[in-house]
mmCIF file of all heavy atoms in Angstrom:
data_model
loop_
_atom_site.group_PDB
_atom_site.id
_atom_site.type_symbol
_atom_site.label_atom_id
_atom_site.label_comp_id
_atom_site.label_asym_id
_atom_site.label_seq_id
_atom_site.Cartn_x
_atom_site.Cartn_y
_atom_site.Cartn_z
ATOM 1 N N ALA A 1229 -2.206 -5.034 -2.821
ATOM 2 C CA ALA A 1229 -1.757 -6.433 -2.843
ATOM 3 C C ALA A 1229 -2.036 -7.142 -1.514
ATOM 4 O O ALA A 1229 -1.628 -8.278 -1.323
ATOM 5 C CB ALA A 1229 -0.261 -6.485 -3.152
ATOM 6 N N MET A 1230 -2.725 -6.469 -0.576
ATOM 7 C CA MET A 1230 -2.974 -7.064 0.737
ATOM 8 C C MET A 1230 -4.048 -8.135 0.647
ATOM 9 O O MET A 1230 -4.997 -8.013 -0.134
ATOM 10 C CB MET A 1230 -3.398 -5.976 1.728
ATOM 11 C CG MET A 1230 -2.318 -4.949 2.034
ATOM 12 S SD MET A 1230 -2.934 -3.595 3.079
ATOM 13 C CE MET A 1230 -3.266 -4.494 4.602
ATOM 14 N N ASP A 1231 -3.901 -9.200 1.466
ATOM 15 C CA ASP A 1231 -4.937 -10.217 1.513
ATOM 16 C C ASP A 1231 -6.161 -9.650 2.233
ATOM 17 O O ASP A 1231 -6.059 -8.687 2.998
ATOM 18 C CB ASP A 1231 -4.434 -11.472 2.233
ATOM 19 C CG ASP A 1231 -4.150 -11.220 3.700
ATOM 20 O OD1 ASP A 1231 -5.067 -11.375 4.509
ATOM 21 O OD2 ASP A 1231 -3.000 -10.834 4.018
ATOM 22 N N PRO A 1232 -7.370 -10.197 1.985
ATOM 23 C CA PRO A 1232 -8.610 -9.627 2.526
ATOM 24 C C PRO A 1232 -8.603 -9.446 4.038
ATOM 25 O O PRO A 1232 -9.094 -8.443 4.548
ATOM 26 C CB PRO A 1232 -9.675 -10.636 2.083
ATOM 27 C CG PRO A 1232 -9.109 -11.263 0.857
ATOM 28 C CD PRO A 1232 -7.626 -11.340 1.103
ATOM 29 N N LYS A 1233 -8.048 -10.425 4.790
ATOM 30 C CA LYS A 1233 -8.078 -10.329 6.251
ATOM 31 C C LYS A 1233 -7.173 -9.203 6.747
ATOM 32 O O LYS A 1233 -7.521 -8.474 7.682
ATOM 33 C CB LYS A 1233 -7.661 -11.656 6.884
ATOM 34 C CG LYS A 1233 -8.007 -11.735 8.368
ATOM 35 C CD LYS A 1233 -7.929 -13.146 8.888
ATOM 36 C CE LYS A 1233 -8.390 -13.211 10.349
ATOM 37 N NZ LYS A 1233 -8.345 -14.579 10.887
ATOM 38 N N SER A 1234 -6.009 -9.034 6.117
ATOM 39 C CA SER A 1234 -5.115 -7.941 6.497
ATOM 40 C C SER A 1234 -5.727 -6.592 6.131
ATOM 41 O O SER A 1234 -5.610 -5.617 6.872
ATOM 42 C CB SER A 1234 -3.759 -8.101 5.808
ATOM 43 O OG SER A 1234 -3.108 -9.259 6.265
ATOM 44 N N MET A 1235 -6.412 -6.543 4.986
ATOM 45 C CA MET A 1235 -7.084 -5.311 4.578
ATOM 46 C C MET A 1235 -8.178 -4.961 5.566
ATOM 47 O O MET A 1235 -8.367 -3.792 5.913
ATOM 48 C CB MET A 1235 -7.674 -5.500 3.178
ATOM 49 C CG MET A 1235 -8.121 -4.209 2.514
ATOM 50 S SD MET A 1235 -6.729 -3.147 2.079
ATOM 51 C CE MET A 1235 -7.257 -1.593 2.777
ATOM 52 N N LEU A 1236 -8.895 -5.978 6.035
ATOM 53 C CA LEU A 1236 -9.947 -5.749 7.021
ATOM 54 C C LEU A 1236 -9.356 -5.188 8.309
ATOM 55 O O LEU A 1236 -9.899 -4.249 8.909
ATOM 56 C CB LEU A 1236 -10.701 -7.055 7.307
ATOM 57 C CG LEU A 1236 -11.821 -6.989 8.357
ATOM 58 C CD1 LEU A 1236 -12.913 -6.025 7.918
ATOM 59 C CD2 LEU A 1236 -12.411 -8.375 8.607
ATOM 60 N N SER A 1237 -8.213 -5.733 8.753
ATOM 61 C CA SER A 1237 -7.569 -5.236 9.966
ATOM 62 C C SER A 1237 -7.087 -3.802 9.791
ATOM 63 O O SER A 1237 -7.190 -2.981 10.704
ATOM 64 C CB SER A 1237 -6.391 -6.136 10.351
ATOM 65 O OG SER A 1237 -6.846 -7.408 10.742
ATOM 66 N N PHE A 1238 -6.560 -3.484 8.605
ATOM 67 C CA PHE A 1238 -6.138 -2.112 8.340
ATOM 68 C C PHE A 1238 -7.334 -1.165 8.413
ATOM 69 O O PHE A 1238 -7.247 -0.077 8.986
ATOM 70 C CB PHE A 1238 -5.471 -2.016 6.963
ATOM 71 C CG PHE A 1238 -5.032 -0.617 6.605
ATOM 72 C CD1 PHE A 1238 -3.939 -0.032 7.216
ATOM 73 C CD2 PHE A 1238 -5.730 0.110 5.652
ATOM 74 C CE1 PHE A 1238 -3.543 1.263 6.899
ATOM 75 C CE2 PHE A 1238 -5.345 1.397 5.320
ATOM 76 C CZ PHE A 1238 -4.248 1.972 5.946
ATOM 77 N N ASN A 1239 -8.456 -1.598 7.855
ATOM 78 C CA ASN A 1239 -9.663 -0.773 7.913
ATOM 79 C C ASN A 1239 -10.127 -0.563 9.352
ATOM 80 O O ASN A 1239 -10.609 0.517 9.718
ATOM 81 C CB ASN A 1239 -10.785 -1.415 7.095
ATOM 82 C CG ASN A 1239 -10.542 -1.327 5.605
ATOM 83 O OD1 ASN A 1239 -9.715 -0.535 5.152
ATOM 84 N ND2 ASN A 1239 -11.238 -2.146 4.828
ATOM 85 N N VAL A 1240 -9.991 -1.604 10.186
ATOM 86 C CA VAL A 1240 -10.380 -1.474 11.594
ATOM 87 C C VAL A 1240 -9.459 -0.476 12.303
ATOM 88 O O VAL A 1240 -9.898 0.306 13.147
ATOM 89 C CB VAL A 1240 -10.368 -2.836 12.308
ATOM 90 C CG1 VAL A 1240 -10.613 -2.662 13.806
ATOM 91 C CG2 VAL A 1240 -11.438 -3.751 11.726
ATOM 92 N N LEU A 1241 -8.166 -0.484 11.956
ATOM 93 C CA LEU A 1241 -7.244 0.489 12.531
ATOM 94 C C LEU A 1241 -7.622 1.914 12.104
ATOM 95 O O LEU A 1241 -7.475 2.864 12.877
ATOM 96 C CB LEU A 1241 -5.811 0.180 12.128
ATOM 97 C CG LEU A 1241 -5.209 -1.076 12.759
ATOM 98 C CD1 LEU A 1241 -3.778 -1.286 12.271
ATOM 99 C CD2 LEU A 1241 -5.228 -0.994 14.285
ATOM 100 N N LEU A 1242 -8.126 2.056 10.884
ATOM 101 C CA LEU A 1242 -8.632 3.368 10.461
ATOM 102 C C LEU A 1242 -9.830 3.761 11.325
ATOM 103 O O LEU A 1242 -10.015 4.937 11.644
ATOM 104 C CB LEU A 1242 -9.038 3.336 8.985
ATOM 105 C CG LEU A 1242 -7.914 3.164 7.958
ATOM 106 C CD1 LEU A 1242 -8.483 3.225 6.542
ATOM 107 C CD2 LEU A 1242 -6.819 4.204 8.129
#
Side-chain angles (χ1 to χ4, degrees):
M1230 294 174 66
D1231 66 89
K1233 195 165 185 179
S1234 295
M1235 193 69 230
L1236 178 62
S1237 293
F1238 179 73
N1239 288 343
V1240 173
L1241 290 179
L1242 292 183

